[in-house]
Amino acid sequence: MTAMAATEPVSDQLARMSAQIDEISAELRCQRQEKEKWQELAHTLVPVTRDAFDVASRELGDLADDVTVDDAVRFLRTAARSLPKLEAMLVTLDSLAELIEEVTSISGAGVAKVSEVLAEAERTGWFSAARGVRQLAEAVVAEYCEDDAAAAIAAAPRVVALLRALADERVLTLVGQLLVPLAADAPEAPPSLLALAGQVRDPATRRGLGRALQVVRQLGFRP
């Protein structure tokens, strides 16, 4: 190596040495820049850190009468022991948040469906009918007093029994048969007594007259 260095031209040696010096200078400049950056950061953080320590000192000074070092240590130990529970609680909160999000999406669809149903009810006239029923109820309330309401409540069982009787198929059939002749046009000439006597011989006519007489008797009249 010494022989090779001896045979190397002086200019090449000087060039190599100059390149090495440039590399060392660049490395030193980089180190100096990094050092300056750290110094600037330290210069910036020192006031902040000092203020933080001052605030902490004041707060700890205010808490000195209520909280001791033993209390702080005991709290840290309790918090360390409770870490699994805290983790499980956080998992539960995440699940609860997902559930709330799911319920919110479902409730949004439900509200849209309810709005659609209400719009359909408004279109078909359900709300108009409800307003009419309300007006009828208000008129009834304004017309009748408390005694009338008590009397209506007392008569309600008999009214229900009457409605149950009217709902019987035989009663409905009889009412229908009675309404058909009443709705028909009356004959121009009244029937003669002989024609009426002939109709009385009909068993159905006699049964009808018997029922009619029972109704009249119930009304308090005597034929």
Side-chain angles (χ1 to χ4, degrees):
M1 295 292 298
T2 305
M4 292 178 62
T7 58
E8 185 178 2
V10 177
S11 59
D12 293 341
Q13 294 179 1
L14 292 175
R16 187 173 64 256
M17 292 175 61
S18 177
Q20 292 176 353
I21 291 172
D22 292 338
E23 292 178 358
I24 294 172
S25 299
E27 184 68 23
L28 290 175
R29 283 194 301 270
C30 291
Q31 292 180 0
R32 185 171 61 253
Q33 291 175 356
E34 292 294 332
K35 183 178 180 181
E36 290 176 354
K37 290 180 181 179
W38 282 106
Q39 288 177 351
E40 291 178 357
L41 179 61
H43 181 72
T44 303
L45 291 178
V46 165
V48 177
T49 306
R50 186 183 298 111
D51 293 340
F53 275 113
D54 292 341
V55 172
S57 299
R58 287 196 302 271
E59 294 296 331
L60 292 176
D62 295 337
L63 294 175
D65 297 334
D66 300 325
V67 180
T68 63
V69 177
D70 294 336
D71 295 333
V73 173
R74 186 168 55 254
F75 173 76
L76 292 176
R77 289 177 180 175
T78 304
R81 294 192 189 100
S82 302
L83 283 178
K85 296 180 180 179
L86 292 175
E87 184 179 1
M89 186 182 297
L90 292 176
V91 173
T92 304
L93 289 176
D94 291 338
S95 302
L96 182 60
E98 294 177 358
L99 177 61
I100 292 174
E101 183 179 359
E102 187 68 21
V103 170
T104 303
S105 61
I106 295 175
S107 62
V111 170
K113 184 62 177 180
V114 170
S115 300
E116 181 181 353
V117 172
L118 292 177
E120 181 65 19
E122 177 67 23
R123 187 183 65 81
T124 54
W126 280 98
F127 291 133
S128 299
R131 286 191 291 269
V133 171
R134 187 195 65 182
Q135 293 174 359
L136 177 61
E138 290 176 352
V140 171
V141 171
E143 183 68 23
Y144 292 94
C145 62
E146 185 176 357
D147 294 336
D148 296 330
I153 294 173
R158 288 181 292 175
V159 173
V160 172
L162 179 60
L163 292 175
R164 187 181 292 113
L166 291 176
D168 187 82
E169 183 65 27
R170 293 173 298 177
V171 176
L172 294 176
T173 302
L174 178 60
V175 172
Q177 291 175 354
L178 290 175
L179 291 177
V180 170
L182 291 176
D185 295 335
E188 296 181 358
S192 62
L193 293 177
L194 184 60
L196 291 176
Q199 292 182 5
V200 170
R201 288 181 298 179
D202 186 0
T205 302
R206 291 199 300 271
R207 283 195 298 269
L209 288 174
R211 290 179 180 177
L213 292 174
Q214 289 179 358
V215 173
V216 174
R217 187 177 297 109
Q218 292 295 331
L219 294 175
F221 295 98
R222 291 295 182 268

